[in-house]
Amino acid sequence: MMTNGVVHANVFGIKDWVSPYKISVLALLYEMTSSKITLPERRRLNKLILPLQQGPDLTLGQFLKTVEECCPQTAYAVKLRSMADGELKDMEYFFSTLPTPFTAFDSEAYKTSVVGLFMRHMLLAYNKLSFSQVYKLYKSLQHYYHSHYDTVGDRADKEELDTPLHESELRRGPLSQKQAEYFLARQAYLLKNDENKALRPAALQEELNNMLKFNPDFAEAHYLNYLNSMRVQDIFLSAHSLLHYFDRLILSGNEGKSNGDEGYGRSLRYAALNLASLHCRFGHYQQADLALQEAIRIAQESNDHVCLQHCLSWLYTLEHMKGSESTVLTQDSVKMAAHFCLPYLGSLDIQSLVQQGAMQGKAAHKLMDALKDTEILHWKHSLSELIEISLAQTTSIWRMYGKSTMALQQAQLLLNMSSLEPVNFGVHQNNTEAFAVALCHLAELHAEQGLYSATSEIFQHLKEQFPPHTQHSKLWMLCDLKIQFERHMNNRKYHLAEPLVKAMSALNKTEGLYRVMLSTAELHWESSSFSTALPLLLQALALARQHHLQSLASEAILHLAFTQLMLGIPEQALNVLHEAMEPILAHGAVIDKGRAMLLAARCHMAVAGFRLKGQALAVDGLNEAESYFSRLNCKERLRDVHYLQAQLHRSLGQTARSNKSAMNFRLLDQELQSPAPPVFMQL
């Protein structure tokens, strides 16, 4: 059988077969072993040999370009023309002159070397060909060579020599076993660590379909098909490929050969466990529960404690996703993982416990103590992936508790950390979900401080590292929408903010909801029912303090102080406001700092009367509020500040300053072209 110039007997019947591309690789290796090459060039070639041998077949243009980037002189010396322009005997002579792996003791072609093994495989495959197959191989070599070089007589145009053949001009044939294994290993690694460098879902699907067309029982290809389907949230194809993987794994006997009947049972119970995890990810809780119960039953029959431990971890995860209490199950899972010496699983269980504790309102220092214990475990066992997850979760916890400085520190620590994982396929493991989470937090922190240009640069990096087709792209999409929403709300452009709520709801339902209690209180303000807003605000403040949510507690205090100001008790409003002023100035967003200073100034104006000290404090507060709102370019809020400044300076007899503030107010009012809402009714 011959496909696209590739001579082979049956798919994966032999480990390698001869193709025009492999003859090119042989010519390169022959030149490398027979000529004198400098030591730096030889080192660069040694790094290039294995990818060339195990990777898919390249066109001649792609092959020469790859070698030229490494060693230009060696690429120029690769001679295929004598075979392509000669006769069949020239190709036969080339194979007869290759170094014999059993005699080349002092060269790279020795029998135990990578070069020697490859040459021996090619010689064996070539010697097994019939005469008709050798002739077809020779004709395919001629086509392979002449499709790249546009020759006129005996001279070639230099520009044409550098023009590679487009991939679509050659139909892809089947890969050899080593090429297929290399392709699958590379794509699986990239999907885990750097999805951006992996093939796009449609292209990878096409390659896998082509591979499965020649060998439908290739179990690893079905598993990669499952991973690829998960990228695009295709539940049908994901389940189909996963079941096919375990079916082929059992039928091939790969498990049973080493473990007998135990290998067969192991595949069955892990098939059920993986199916449960698949349904769990897609929110099919009933199907996930049924598959999980089956996995538990088979694992109990086989007395497989490791599988049972994995089942227990997924059981508490499933209960947590359904909204049930799963803390006891999680604690049991941590104890069992420690008993069976499963540090990876035990660490994930502790991470889940910490997450549950954060949602239940436990104190931050208790959660950080638990994470500290896991970090010791991570560094002890060099669990680099879990170190990144732990840092990302720590960043999220500090953000939730309103400690922006600590969140910034943890995010920077993660982004500047060197991975402990070995560098494979040129990936330094900086494109995982943990890095995406850290970058999103970093973007939000910059946006809160009014640094929108830096935020745009971070999002540009996120778009390059996690394009829209990748599975972690939803993180930065949602973060971008949240920042846009907050920016429009700060500028009181509610007509632009409203469509963003629907967009956020499409990505995450809970993120599309408003903070209900605070928004309800603001509705009471609109109807001038300030006294009815007080119980809601006190309840919101109690909840925020109970869960140690400092930022939400500070916002509730701002609303409470504003309500008290409207009820005519500015002294009490000032006392309440002072409680929130320190955390807001230390960790709050710029908009919250501006709102707090503006509210404090209004309280001082209401309390001071004709006292100069109170009026001076009000002037300072308005000036600080102006600087904060200017950083965010909140023109409507600046208009309010200038209005109050004009009034305050006029009462102090400062006519020039009053006129300046009045002029600034009028300029902004003309620019906005919208009626100014009552200043005293806005926070």
Side-chain angles (χ1 to χ4, degrees):
M1 177 180 175
M2 168 172 281
T3 306
N4 188 28
V6 179
V7 180
H8 51 91
N10 59 335
V11 179
F12 296 166
I14 55 176
K15 291 188 176 181
D16 281 305
W17 47 69
V18 187
S19 67
Y21 165 72
K22 299 235 175 121
I23 294 177
S24 302
V25 177
L26 283 173
L28 172 64
L29 297 178
Y30 178 79
E31 182 65 26
M32 180 179 171
T33 56
S34 61
S35 62
K36 293 183 178 180
I37 303 176
T38 62
L39 185 60
E41 286 188 346
R42 190 173 296 276
R43 286 175 178 170
R44 291 195 295 269
L45 280 173
N46 286 336
K47 292 181 180 180
L48 189 64
I49 287 173
L50 201 59
L52 288 177
Q53 292 180 8
Q54 295 185 343
D57 286 8
L58 304 176
T59 64
L60 184 56
Q62 294 169 332
F63 171 74
L64 292 176
K65 182 180 179 182
T66 303
V67 179
E68 282 176 0
E69 291 174 354
C70 177
C71 303
Q73 296 299 324
T74 307
Y76 179 76
V78 174
K79 298 179 178 64
L80 290 178
R81 185 170 182 175
S82 59
M83 287 185 282
D85 288 344
E87 299 178 355
L88 180 58
K89 63 179 182 180
D90 296 312
M91 187 179 73
E92 186 74 23
Y93 176 76
F94 170 75
F95 277 94
S96 66
T97 57
L98 287 177
T100 306
F102 293 98
T103 58
F105 296 104
D106 298 329
S107 70
E108 288 84 351
Y110 186 60
K111 63 179 181 180
T112 57
S113 67
V114 174
V115 175
L117 288 173
F118 178 75
M119 285 185 170
R120 178 156 178 78
H121 288 160
M122 290 296 100
L123 284 171
L124 289 174
Y126 181 77
N127 291 332
K128 289 180 180 180
L129 299 179
S130 64
F131 179 78
S132 61
Q133 289 176 328
V134 171
Y135 179 74
K136 290 179 181 178
L137 176 62
Y138 174 68
K139 298 301 290 185
S140 66
L141 177 63
Q142 286 185 317
H143 175 73
Y144 181 77
Y145 178 84
H146 291 296
S147 61
H148 173 65
Y149 289 109
D150 183 14
T151 58
V152 181
D154 292 329
R155 297 186 62 185
D157 187 357
K158 181 64 176 66
E159 294 182 359
E160 293 296 329
L161 290 176
D162 297 330
T163 304
L165 181 68
H166 196 273
E167 290 183 6
S168 62
E169 294 178 14
L170 284 174
R171 292 181 300 170
R172 292 293 298 271
L175 302 175
S176 68
Q177 180 178 348
K178 286 188 176 180
Q179 286 178 322
E181 290 173 352
Y182 179 80
F183 174 79
L184 294 176
R186 173 183 172 83
Q187 292 300 317
Y189 184 86
L190 291 176
L191 286 182
K192 178 186 177 184
N193 296 297
D194 193 352
E195 189 181 350
N196 192 25
K197 291 185 178 179
L199 290 178
R200 288 178 174 268
L204 182 55
Q205 185 69 51
E206 184 180 356
E207 292 290 337
L208 292 172
N209 289 342
N210 181 64
M211 192 179 297
L212 291 171
K213 179 177 67 175
F214 291 98
N215 186 6
D217 295 329
F218 195 12
E220 288 76 7
H222 284 290
Y223 189 77
L224 186 59
N225 204 3
Y226 155 69
L227 295 178
N228 191 42
S229 303
M230 288 289 291
R231 297 165 71 188
V232 294
Q233 302 294 300
D234 189 338
I235 176 62
F236 174 77
L237 190 56
S238 298
H240 180 79
S241 301
L242 185 64
L243 293 175
H244 270 289
Y245 165 69
F246 282 103
D247 287 344
R248 284 356 185 238
L249 194 66
I250 294 170
L251 291 174
S252 64
N254 290 339
E255 290 284 341
K257 287 178 182 178
S258 57
N259 300 320
D261 294 336
E262 173 60 22
Y264 177 82
R266 187 175 187 274
S267 294
L268 286 179
R269 55 184 176 266
Y270 277 100
L273 180 59
N274 277 273
L275 190 62
S277 70
L278 172 65
H279 285 299
C280 196
R281 287 188 176 96
F282 282 100
H284 305 159
Y285 301 136
Q286 185 176 2
Q287 295 92 325
D289 190 56
L290 291 173
L292 194 56
Q293 294 302 326
E294 182 181 359
I296 292 173
R297 179 182 59 81
I298 301 174
Q300 286 175 336
E301 291 175 355
S302 305
N303 200 27
D304 188 344
H305 297 290
V306 175
C307 184
L308 282 172
Q309 182 58 33
H310 281 279
C311 292
L312 180 58
S313 296
W314 274 108
L315 186 62
Y316 80 69
T317 302
L318 180 60
E319 292 298 318
H320 181 67
M321 293 179 73
K322 290 192 295 186
S324 304
E325 176 60 39
S326 60
T327 305
V328 177
L329 280 174
T330 312
Q331 291 172 345
D332 291 341
S333 183
V334 172
K335 295 176 183 176
M336 296 302 292
H339 177 72
F340 292 110
C341 298
L342 300 172
Y344 190 94
L345 203 56
S347 176
L348 287 178
D349 293 339
I350 295 175
Q351 297 279 352
S352 182
L353 265 180
V354 169
Q355 190 175 12
Q356 292 177 35
M359 300 304 294
Q360 292 168 1
K362 290 189 177 180
H365 69 274
K366 294 183 179 179
L367 302 180
M368 294 304 154
D369 286 342
L371 287 176
K372 180 184 68 177
D373 296 336
T374 63
E375 287 172 2
I376 296 173
L377 196 66
H378 299 159
W379 289 104
K380 180 180 178 181
H381 296 278
S382 298
L383 301 174
S384 177
E385 182 181 1
L386 293 183
I387 294 172
E388 297 166 3
I389 293 174
S390 178
L391 287 172
Q393 178 145 288
T394 306
T395 305
S396 301
I397 290 174
W398 284 126
R399 282 280 295 151
M400 187 180 75
Y401 285 159
K403 305 291 186 180
S404 60
T405 306
M406 295 300 299
L408 180 63
Q409 180 196 55
Q410 293 297 309
Q412 293 284 7
L413 183 61
L414 172 57
L415 295 175
N416 288 281
M417 189 186 75
S418 298
S419 176
L420 300 178
E421 292 289 330
V423 179
N424 295 325
F425 306 112
V427 177
H428 292 267
Q429 200 175 357
N430 61 348
N431 288 68
T432 57
E433 183 181 11
F435 280 90
V437 170
L439 285 169
C440 287
H441 283 310
L442 206 59
E444 289 182 344
L445 290 168
H446 281 81
E448 287 178 357
Q449 301 305 315
L451 305 172
Y452 292 114
S453 59
T455 304
S456 300
E457 292 180 6
I458 294 173
F459 277 121
Q460 183 61 35
H461 177 72
L462 279 165
K463 291 174 183 178
E464 293 174 357
Q465 296 295 103
F466 305 92
H469 68 273
T470 58
Q471 56 184 336
H472 301 318
S473 59
K474 285 186 179 180
L475 294 171
W476 64 259
M477 290 180 181
L478 182 61
C479 180
D480 191 17
L481 289 172
K482 287 167 62 178
I483 291 175
Q484 291 182 48
F485 174 79
E486 292 294 338
R487 194 171 183 181
H488 291 318
M489 291 295 291
N490 293 342
N491 292 325
R492 295 175 182 168
K493 296 180 179 179
Y494 306 119
H495 64 289
L496 296 177
E498 185 177 1
L500 297 176
V501 177
K502 297 179 180 178
M504 285 190 288
S505 299
L507 294 173
N508 190 316
K509 293 182 180 179
T510 56
E511 288 290 351
L513 299 176
Y514 289 100
R515 292 161 183 165
V516 180
M517 292 183 179
L518 298 183
S519 300
T520 307
E522 291 177 0
L523 288 176
H524 286 294
W525 294 349
E526 294 294 332
S527 59
S528 299
S529 303
F530 294 100
S531 58
T532 56
L534 278 176
L536 285 172
L537 293 173
L538 290 172
Q539 186 180 358
L541 179 59
L543 282 173
R545 285 176 172 171
Q546 178 184 346
H547 289 81
H548 307 282
L549 305 177
Q550 182 178 279
S551 60
L552 289 180
S554 300
E555 189 169 352
I557 290 174
L558 283 181
H559 282 69
L560 187 61
F562 176 77
T563 304
Q564 291 174 331
L565 176 63
M566 292 296 100
L567 290 173
I569 45 176
E571 297 89 350
Q572 185 63 30
L574 265 180
N575 292 333
V576 171
L577 188 58
H578 284 155
E579 183 181 350
M581 193 64 73
E582 182 178 344
I584 288 176
L585 294 179
H587 300 284
V590 173
I591 185 67
D592 292 330
K593 295 176 183 178
R595 291 164 66 196
M597 297 309 300
L598 177 59
L599 182 57
R602 291 173 59 183
C603 291
H604 283 300
M605 290 174 66
V607 171
F610 295 99
R611 287 179 294 179
L612 292 178
K613 183 178 180 181
Q615 291 177 338
L617 291 173
V619 170
D620 293 338
L622 289 175
N623 289 338
E624 287 192 46
E626 180 185 3
S627 66
Y628 288 133
F629 292 144
S630 298
R631 286 168 59 180
L632 298 174
N633 198 26
C634 294
K635 295 181 180 179
E636 288 210 1
R637 296 183 185 274
L638 281 172
R639 179 172 61 180
D640 296 344
V641 171
H642 292 316
Y643 177 80
L644 293 173
Q645 283 177 330
Q647 282 192 333
L648 184 58
H649 288 307
R650 184 176 292 110
S651 66
L652 293 173
Q654 300 170 347
T655 307
R657 293 184 178 180
S658 176
N659 291 338
K660 181 180 178 181
S661 298
M663 182 187 68
N664 290 333
F665 168 81
R666 183 167 181 79
L667 291 174
L668 283 175
D669 192 56
Q670 291 176 346
E671 181 182 348
L672 293 171
Q673 295 182 351
S674 61
V679 175
F680 294 103
M681 298 293 292
Q682 299 289 325
L683 174 58

